[in-house]
Amino acid sequence: MVSLLTVRFFGLNIAVTNERVEMIATRIRQKDAVFYFVAYPSEELLDKVRFISRFYDEGETIAPEEAQAEDDVAQFIARIERSDKAFQRQVSRTKVRSIRNFYETAISQPPIPGTVLLFTPQKLRFQSLDGEENVGHLSEPEEKYLIIDGQHRLAALQFYERSHPDEAKSILVPCVIFDGRSEDFATEMFVIINSTPTRINKSHLVDLYERVSWAEPDRRFAARIVEMLYSEQDSPLRYRINRLGGRSKQEKWILQAELYNEIHRWVKLAWAKIDRDGADKRGAQRYYSMVRDFLKAAAEVWREAWGNPAFMATKPVTLKAMIRVCADLASREAEPEEGRVERWRERLSPWSEQIRAFRNEGFYERFPAKGQVERVARVHRELGRTANIPPRTSKQGATMP
C-alpha cells in the first residue's frame, strides 16, 4: 500500500509518496506528441538538471581553458561534463554573467519569463486528477534531465541562488518536459529552436544533421562525407578541419562549415545520380574515397607547398577550389577506384609548375577578385585549365558560376 500526501511547496503542488515525489503537471497534446508543463521551484530544479556540452575530438584530449580561482563562473563551466554525443553548445561565461546580472537587477520584470525545455529518455508516469483529464500527478525521472533549451539561464540561476538564496527560493521556473523519446528527438528539438545564424553556428549544425530526421537527405549525405574527411585515418584532412572556430587550439586548414558548403554544392548538383545509385553510408563512402584520393594526389603534386604556411595550397580559398576541380574530374574519371590516386596524380601534375604562383606573398595580386566567393571561382578556373579538366556539363551536374 503506497501512502500519498499532497503538499504545497512554494506555490507548487507536489505529491509525496513513499516511493517517489510527483509534481502537478499539465499534459499537452499536439498531433501525436505528448509533453508536460510544470512550474518548478528553482531550488529543486537545479538539483535535477544535468549540465553538458558537446565535445569535439581534435585528435587529442583538449583540456578545459584555465579558469582563475576567483572566477566562479569560469570554474563552473570548466567542470561541466562534455560528450561527443551531446547536442548542447559550449556554455558562454559572458552570457552566464549577463543573465545573472539581469536576475539581480530585474525588479518588476519576471527573471525567467520563458519556458525551459527539459528532456528525459525515461517514460514518466502521469496520473490524472479526478475530473481533470489533462491535469495530474507527474513522476520525476530517476536520472537528471537534459536541458534542450535554457542551459545558460539555469547556469546563471545557480549563481543567483548562491548570492541571493532567499530571493531565488521564491522563483518558480516554467518548464516543458519531454519524456520517453530517444536523444535524437532531443537533438532535433535543439536544432529546431536554435538553427538561426544568431543562435547556433553552421559548423555545430553540420555535426547534428545526421541526427535530425527532417534535414534534407542531400544535406545529411554531405555532412556524412565531411565527418569522414575529419575522422577517417586515411583522410588527408584528418583533424585539419576546424570544428571549433576560435576555440580551436590546433593548426587547422579550413572551417568545417566552409568545407561542408563545397561538398554539399557538389552533392546537390549530382543528387539525382547519387539518389539513384544509393545515398546510404556505402554511397557516402564512395564519394568520400573520391575526395580522399584527389587530395592525396594533390598533396603529391603540390610537394613542399602542401601544408606549408608560406603557401596557399592548403588555405581555404584553394581547398574549396580544389573540391570543385575534384567534382569536375570525378564526373568523368572516377572509375575504376584501383589505381585512381596514380591516375589523378598524373592528371594534376601540371600544378607543380604553379607552386610559385601559390606563395602567400603576392597571391591576392595574382588572383585579383572582389571577394572570397569570386576568388574561389577564379582559382577553380585556373586549376582546372592548368590540369585540362573542364567544368562539369549539365548532364554531369552543371557547375555553378
Side-chain angles (χ1 to χ4, degrees):
M1 185 77 177
V2 177
S3 62
L4 177 65
L5 172 66
T6 300
V7 299
R8 294 284 295 177
F9 182 72
F10 296 117
L12 175 68
N13 283 320
I14 298 179
V16 183
T17 74
N18 58 11
E19 291 184 345
R20 62 172 65 85
V21 173
E22 296 185 334
M23 307 164 286
I24 293 295
T26 300
R27 181 171 58 187
I28 301 170
R29 297 182 184 273
Q30 292 182 0
K31 293 188 176 180
D32 294 333
V34 176
F35 50 96
Y36 304 94
F37 176 81
V38 171
Y40 247 119
S42 62
E43 192 173 40
E44 284 219 350
L45 178 58
L46 293 174
D47 287 335
K48 293 180 173 65
V49 294
R50 178 184 174 194
F51 292 93
I52 188 171
S53 65
R54 187 166 178 80
F55 170 73
Y56 291 93
D57 177 12
E58 294 287 283
E60 59 184 75
T61 300
I62 304 175
E65 293 183 19
E66 282 193 26
Q68 300 296 324
E70 66 276 7
D71 190 339
D72 56 350
V73 176
Q75 292 284 348
F76 170 80
I77 292 173
R79 291 192 298 270
I80 288 178
E81 177 187 353
R82 298 186 303 157
S83 168
D84 60 359
K85 301 299 182 185
F87 50 81
Q88 288 94 340
R89 298 160 292 180
Q90 185 184 51
V91 176
S92 163
R93 69 178 74 176
T94 302
K95 191 170 183 179
V96 170
R97 289 196 190 100
S98 175
I99 297 173
R100 177 173 65 173
N101 181 65
F102 172 70
Y103 290 164
E104 292 172 346
T105 56
I107 303 298
S108 58
Q109 291 181 324
I112 310 178
T115 53
V116 169
L117 272 57
L118 307 176
F119 167 80
T120 174
Q122 182 182 338
K123 183 64 179 175
L124 303 181
R125 187 172 68 88
F126 180 79
Q127 184 176 0
S128 297
L129 295 176
D130 291 340
E132 295 286 349
E133 180 184 354
N134 292 314
V135 178
H137 298 297
L138 181 69
S139 65
E140 293 189 311
E142 296 172 2
E143 298 182 353
K144 293 187 174 185
Y145 295 107
L146 285 177
I147 306 166
I148 296 176
D149 190 50
Q151 196 159 234
H152 284 91
R153 281 173 282 163
L154 294 184
L157 190 57
Q158 291 259 13
F159 296 100
Y160 182 65
E161 186 184 55
R162 295 176 192 176
S163 58
H164 300 75
D166 293 335
E167 291 90 334
K169 284 180 180 179
S170 68
I171 293 177
L172 291 174
V173 182
C175 298
V176 169
I177 299 174
F178 297 91
D179 71 321
R181 306 290 189 95
S182 71
E183 289 197 13
D184 282 354
F185 170 84
T187 301
E188 197 162 318
M189 287 293 298
F190 172 83
V191 171
I192 290 170
I193 294 164
N194 293 288
S195 58
T196 65
T198 58
R199 300 199 67 180
I200 181 171
N201 68 60
K202 185 66 176 290
S203 181
H204 191 116
L205 184 58
V206 170
D207 276 335
L208 302 179
Y209 268 139
E210 282 201 75
R211 296 171 62 183
V212 177
S213 63
W214 48 262
E216 295 93 333
D218 53 309
R219 291 187 179 277
R220 295 163 67 113
F221 189 84
R224 190 174 297 145
I225 296 169
V226 172
E227 196 283 327
M228 295 172 74
L229 285 168
Y230 178 85
S231 61
E232 291 295 320
Q233 291 188 1
D234 59 355
S235 170
L237 295 183
R238 191 183 193 208
Y239 303 144
R240 295 295 189 179
I241 301 169
N242 188 345
R243 304 199 294 185
L244 292 167
R247 294 185 288 119
S248 177
K249 304 301 182 186
Q250 300 182 24
E251 180 187 351
K252 305 295 180 182
W253 291 349
I254 188 170
L255 287 170
Q256 178 167 265
E258 291 182 291
L259 178 63
Y260 169 81
N261 286 342
E262 290 303 326
I263 296 294
H264 181 240
R265 172 195 180 104
W266 176 4
V267 166
K268 189 172 184 179
L269 292 171
W271 185 245
K273 182 178 188 307
I274 292 171
D275 196 31
R276 185 173 62 250
D277 294 345
D280 53 8
K281 289 186 178 180
R282 185 180 301 177
Q285 173 66 41
R286 185 165 62 250
Y287 275 77
Y288 159 74
S289 67
M290 294 180 201
V291 183
R292 175 201 64 200
D293 291 350
F294 182 89
L295 293 176
K296 284 184 176 181
E300 293 186 32
V301 301
W302 283 117
R303 300 198 302 266
E304 72 275 8
W306 187 260
N308 188 332
F311 291 82
M312 298 293 293
T314 49
K315 300 290 176 65
V317 62
T318 310
L319 285 172
K320 290 192 284 187
M322 283 195 289
I323 294 297
R324 298 185 187 186
V325 176
C326 176
D328 297 337
L329 182 57
S331 68
R332 297 176 172 84
E333 303 177 23
E335 305 300 335
E337 182 175 351
E338 183 179 356
R340 186 163 58 198
V341 175
E342 291 73 20
R343 293 198 316 272
W344 284 1
R345 180 184 61 213
E346 181 64 26
R347 192 66 187 272
L348 302 180
S349 59
W351 288 0
S352 297
E353 302 170 8
Q354 298 292 317
I355 290 176
R356 288 179 60 83
F358 280 79
R359 290 174 300 171
N360 289 349
E361 185 180 356
F363 175 81
Y364 293 101
E365 287 73 24
R366 289 189 290 274
F367 294 93
K370 293 179 181 178
Q372 182 82 329
V373 173
E374 184 178 315
R375 185 166 287 108
V376 171
R378 188 182 183 113
V379 175
H380 168 213
R381 289 194 299 271
E382 180 61 21
L383 291 176
R385 183 194 63 77
T386 302
N388 194 27
I389 301 172
R392 285 168 288 174
T393 65
S394 56
K395 289 184 179 181
Q396 297 158 328
T399 298
M400 296 172 66

